[in-house]
Amino acid sequence: MKLAIPITRHFSASTTTQKLKRVSKNAVSINSIKELHAHLIRTDLHTDPSSISHVIKSYALSPSYLQKAHLAFNQLERPTLLIVNHMIHGLSQSDQPKKAIDMYNHMYQQGLSGDNLTFIFVIKACARVRDVYQGQKAHVHTLKLGFESYLFVSNALIHMYAACGDLGLARKLFDVMSVRDLVSWNSLICGYSQCNRFEEVLCLFNSMQEDNIKADAVTMVKVILACIYLGNWAIADSVIRYIEEKDIEIDVYLGNTLIDMYGRRGLVDLAREVFNQMCDKNVISWNAMIMGYAKATHLIEARQLLDEMPRRDVISWTSLITGYSRANQFAEALNLFQEMMLSKVKPDEITVASVLSACAHLGSLDMGEAIHDYIQRIGTKMDIYVGNSLVDMYCKCGAVEKALMVFHEMEKKDSVSWTSIISGLAVNGFADYALELFKQMLREDVRPTHGTFVGILLACTHAGVIDEGLQYFENMEKVYGLTPEMKHYGCVVDLLSRSGHLEKAYEFMVTMPMAPDVVVWRILLNALLMQVRIDGMMLKELEN
């Protein structure tokens, strides 16, 4: 049985040349509109609604000329519904969609009723600003005027309610529709996907197939995303077969989703097939492919792609830096970060955390300090992850004072923050301070984790406080509900052994609920060897 299917055809063939032709055509078109507008002003026809209508429409639908549409519109004493619709349409798809709603409300207050087009544009504006209240008002008006039965109006309402998170109303509208088209299905599917209700996405896709509605690239993107989040690769493979059988065109968005899906599964060869066949790629396409290679530890291929990219962003660099760190190639991660700085791409919090982790593993304090200075200089957000990474790096490099300084300056701390500083203090010989911080952590109601208890047991070992350490070990399960793991048992054996209680350490090992691993035995044997050496030295001294 095949686990996956390669995509080998039906890719979108849009090209840069075609885009340039469209841009050129639009430029010619707007120039002719400006000439027409000038002519209407010269002939004093610019206040005539029938004459100026085409000019206002063209301006309104060209974002950079929307202000000119306003100027022309404001010179009309009695604009027609057609012209008002042009303005609402333009505003609804502009960067100020709320103005479309305001214009509709003003029109309604003036006693001018809208038509089906008016409501489509207004409802889409409500969806864009996530204003369900205004959307419901428009919905009531469509019911009063009898427009709800119009397919495109119903589709706009479903999209609006779904975008606002009211999937109950969206589904009710969908269920009572006498006629549905692909947009109806996609509107509801997109709403469920946006609200992370992925099971419903797959159920709707099944219902679509039962109703013989052919899906498109939009549907497929949401269905494959649902498969990714649910980890349902069997359905994902059936979806790929559906794409092939139904001859669905794979645009850049569907192509990117397929690359991501294959990359998450480690099927980088299939991801690369999709990538290579895409006629139109964007930076997301390249990044998805680099992430797929990095996750599969195909770092040579990932680096080649990074070098070939026409334009790199912070995700491009970070994906490979993180890939090197996860593969324990920390020196390469640092080298790549230096290249990133030279290319003037500003790192984000994930980049910084990955690079600091590399510094910590290499014990490269100089580089870690340089990165700390750099992120302060360029203003990288000092969030909890960056703070934790700095604390961990400074502790592992032995710079405890700087680790404490970062820790105390952090506005927000989580259990990782406390665990890092407590463990760092313990291994660097500041056991008493580690114990003090642990008590402060408990006073601040921060719940300790398995890792925290490893740190505190280490601190007890170095401080030589046996009873306190044994009490903490007992409290792990009794107070905090954390079942001790092998590493915790190893810490207790170390605690007892270092204090000279070798018999108790052995007795403790015998009563462990699992067989001691090689590390635990090594701890005990090392303690025995140390005791033998000490006894031998004392014997020699007595003989002398």
Side-chain angles (χ1 to χ4, degrees), residues 288-481:
M289 195 65 240
I290 289 172
M291 281 189 267
Y293 274 136
K295 184 178 179 183
T297 63
H298 292 198
L299 299 175
I300 294 173
E301 292 88 343
R303 180 61 207 251
Q304 285 174 345
L305 268 185
L306 184 76
D307 292 338
E308 293 168 8
M309 281 186 77
R311 184 176 65 84
R312 306 165 193 158
D313 64 7
V314 64
I315 297 172
S316 320
W317 292 95
T318 302
S319 300
L320 190 51
I321 289 170
T322 305
Y324 279 130
S325 291
R326 286 176 180 165
N328 297 328
Q329 297 186 32
F330 304 114
E332 286 82 356
L334 294 182
N335 289 336
L336 193 61
F337 179 69
Q338 289 175 318
E339 287 185 46
M340 179 182 176
M341 289 191 291
L342 290 172
S343 68
K344 308 297 183 185
V345 175
K346 184 180 176 181
D348 63 10
E349 300 80 45
I350 300 171
T351 326
V352 171
S354 295
V355 174
L356 288 171
S357 174
C359 292
H361 282 92
L362 292 171
S364 181
L365 179 59
D366 290 343
M367 177 63 82
E369 287 177 324
I371 292 168
H372 190 182
D373 291 340
Y374 174 71
I375 63 175
Q376 286 180 317
R377 192 166 63 252
I378 65 172
T380 299
K381 183 182 175 184
M382 182 66 80
D383 65 4
I384 197 167
Y385 302 106
V386 174
N388 289 347
S389 298
L390 281 167
V391 170
D392 182 59
M393 182 273 297
Y394 278 129
C395 284
K396 285 180 177 174
C397 292
V400 178
E401 289 184 4
K402 291 195 173 182
L404 281 167
M405 180 185 70
V406 173
F407 177 80
H408 290 304
E409 287 177 353
M410 289 173 66
E411 293 181 7
K412 291 184 179 180
K413 303 178 183 74
D414 61 6
S415 60
V416 176
S417 319
W418 289 93
T419 298
S420 295
I421 194 66
I422 288 167
S423 301
L425 287 166
V427 299
N428 282 285
F430 297 89
D432 291 336
Y433 198 179
L435 292 168
E436 183 184 325
L437 276 180
F438 182 66
K439 290 170 184 174
Q440 184 182 336
M441 174 185 176
L442 298 179
R443 285 196 298 272
E444 294 188 17
D445 291 326
V446 180
R447 188 173 180 80
T449 64
H450 281 90
T452 317
F453 277 103
V454 170
I456 204 61
L457 289 170
L458 283 172
C460 291
T461 300
H462 289 293
V465 285
I466 303 171
D467 292 339
E468 194 171 349
L470 292 173
Q471 187 62 56
Y472 283 134
F473 178 80
E474 189 177 331
N475 288 347
M476 270 189 74
E477 193 159 18
K478 186 184 292 185
V479 178
Y480 301 102

Side-chain angles (χ1 to χ4, degrees), residues 89-295:
H89 187 189
L91 288 165
S92 71
Q93 62 188 24
S94 73
D95 59 357
Q96 296 177 309
K98 190 178 183 304
K99 287 188 175 180
I101 303 168
D102 293 339
M103 181 169 281
Y104 167 74
N105 287 333
H106 179 72
M107 177 194 85
Y108 189 79
Q109 288 163 8
Q110 297 297 314
L112 184 62
S113 297
D115 61 10
N116 60 315
L117 291 176
T118 316
F119 289 109
I120 290 170
F121 303 144
V122 171
I123 293 164
K124 284 184 177 179
C126 293
R128 288 190 63 198
V129 296
R130 306 288 194 268
D131 191 337
V132 71
Y133 172 72
Q134 291 292 342
Q136 286 173 328
K137 277 177 60 178
H139 188 183
V140 170
H141 295 166
T142 64
L143 289 169
K144 286 181 179 178
L145 297 169
F147 291 123
E148 191 194 28
S149 60
Y150 283 58
L151 177 63
F152 292 165
V153 174
S154 292
N155 287 346
L157 284 166
I158 291 170
H159 170 68
M160 183 272 297
Y161 282 124
C164 294
D166 195 336
L167 293 172
L169 272 176
R171 186 61 192 252
K172 282 181 183 177
L173 271 171
F174 178 84
D175 288 339
V176 299
M177 287 175 72
S178 55
V179 178
R180 307 184 190 107
D181 65 1
L182 177 60
V183 176
S184 318
W185 289 91
N186 279 351
S187 297
L188 193 56
I189 284 173
C190 289
Y192 279 124
S193 180
Q194 178 185 303
C195 294
N196 299 329
R197 291 173 61 173
F198 301 113
E199 294 283 2
E200 286 92 335
V201 170
L202 297 183
C203 288
L204 273 174
F205 178 58
N206 287 334
S207 298
M208 272 184 77
Q209 294 177 76
E210 290 169 4
D211 280 11
N212 293 318
I213 302 292
K214 180 185 171 183
D216 65 359
V218 174
T219 326
M220 294 295 92
V221 166
K222 300 304 179 184
V223 171
I224 292 172
L225 282 174
C227 293
I228 289 171
Y229 283 104
L230 294 172
N232 197 326
W233 305 132
I235 293 180
D237 290 338
S238 71
V239 170
I240 292 165
R241 282 191 291 271
Y242 180 92
I243 292 169
E244 286 282 302
E245 291 166 4
K246 299 296 182 181
D247 230 21
I248 295 173
E249 181 182 293
I250 299 175
D251 61 13
V252 67
Y253 304 105
L254 180 52
N256 291 347
T257 308
L258 286 166
I259 292 169
D260 180 48
M261 183 270 295
Y262 282 135
R264 287 171 184 262
R265 299 167 69 181
L267 303 173
V268 288
D269 291 338
L270 292 179
R272 189 59 188 259
E273 281 184 28
V274 175
F275 180 82
N276 288 343
Q277 292 177 61
M278 288 173 67
C279 299
D280 194 11
K281 302 181 184 75
N282 58 17
V283 69
I284 297 171
S285 319
W286 291 83
N287 287 344
M289 195 65 240
I290 289 172
M291 281 189 267
Y293 274 136
K295 184 178 179 183

